Amino acid sequence: MNRIAALDSGTQYHLISLHRAPFKKYFHKIIYLPELQPDDLNDVDTVLVTCASPVGQILAHSGILLDFLAQHKTLVVTGRNGAELWLPGVERVDLPFNFWWWLDKVHNSIDVQVSDSAHPLFQYITFEHMIWHYHDGYRLLPNGHSAVEHKTIRNAHIFQTVDEYEGGRLVLTALDPFFHHGNFFMPNASRFGNALLQFVSELG
């Protein structure tokens, strides 16, 4: 079982998602992001950059996170964290945003689809339980393995893993499950958060 450190920025959605059941059991430690120090990560295998963290704080500590990757470890970056600003080679793709798509009785269709049903993420969750909405996407990185992509906009991926990235492994998603779980908003976000943590904790 991989030892996971979760970064907590002190927002109510981080406090609820990280410090309470059902997710707390997955974390070896929870670290207050503004106080992150390199030695804090010596005893963990994986760092979770929890969704909707203050991007300025991430940028201030990005060197620590990249050094962690270089130690052949795993970095998990969830949505709304400005990944394109601090992760080398990451490019965001702007996508049309439909927050309440399921209330549209005429065009009731989410514009994302499975890109590879064999992706190991799907051992933990079905695609149907990954759907609520999405915040943009990312171009597929070299050696990236995509699980979910946009239906029509080329090379816009919602979830991808990269086994060889900056010396370690990257799990990158545009989904923001911990933000929604901590705001008691979107049951599928809670399902995906649980599946993501199971998947990451069991990565070989």
Side-chain angles (χ1 to χ4, degrees):
M1 188 74 71
N2 291 316
R3 295 164 298 179
I4 302 172
L7 300 183
D8 171 10
S9 70
T11 63
Q12 89 283 351
Y13 47 87
H14 284 178
L15 293 172
I16 292 166
S17 290
L18 303 181
H19 294 272
R20 298 183 185 180
F23 301 144
K24 181 181 178 181
K25 66 183 179 182
Y26 290 104
F27 304 126
H28 178 71
K29 61 171 59 173
I30 298 168
I31 302 169
Y32 184 46
L33 173 58
E35 297 176 354
L36 176 64
Q37 297 295 320
D39 289 348
D40 293 335
L41 306 181
N42 288 343
D43 61 342
V44 298
D45 311 294
T46 301
V47 170
L48 168 66
V49 184
T50 317
C51 30
S53 296
V55 175
Q57 284 293 332
I58 299 174
L59 290 171
H61 295 87
S62 60
I64 295 174
L65 299 174
L66 293 174
D67 287 345
F68 178 79
L69 267 172
Q71 298 171 43
H72 312 294
K73 296 188 177 183
T74 299
L75 187 65
V76 181
V77 182
T78 50
R80 300 165 66 188
N81 278 323
E84 71 281 1
L85 300 177
W86 57 279
L87 286 175
V90 168
E91 296 180 55
R92 190 183 72 184
V93 180
D94 293 330
L95 297 176
F97 183 67
N98 185 348
F99 200 87
W100 298 108
W101 63 274
W102 57 84
L103 298 181
D104 184 342
K105 304 304 181 185
V106 177
H107 305 100
N108 187 350
S109 176
I110 193 75
D111 293 328
V112 295
Q113 64 188 5
V114 172
S115 42
D116 183 358
S117 61
H119 193 288
L121 175 69
F122 293 121
Q123 296 174 29
Y124 302 88
I125 194 168
T126 65
F127 173 62
E128 289 72 22
H129 285 159
M130 291 179 66
I131 296 171
W132 58 96
H133 60 253
Y134 49 87
H135 296 270
D136 300 323
Y138 298 103
R139 298 198 185 282
L140 192 64
L141 287 157
N143 303 313
H145 184 187
S146 173
V148 178
E149 64 185 352
H150 197 271
K151 286 180 180 177
T152 59
I153 296 178
R154 191 169 178 270
N155 202 8
H157 299 269
I158 311 304
F159 187 98
Q160 63 178 293
T161 51
V162 191
D163 286 340
E164 296 180 11
Y165 177 82
E166 296 295 311
R169 175 194 284 124
L170 176 66
V171 178
L172 176 64
T173 181
L175 294 171
D176 53 349
F178 304 106
F179 172 83
H180 285 289
H181 176 84
N183 281 307
F184 305 102
F185 183 41
M186 305 285 187
N188 271 359
S190 301
R191 295 185 183 101
F192 176 65
N194 189 68
L196 175 65
L197 291 171
Q198 282 188 287
F199 167 66
V200 168
S201 68
E202 297 177 8
L203 277 172

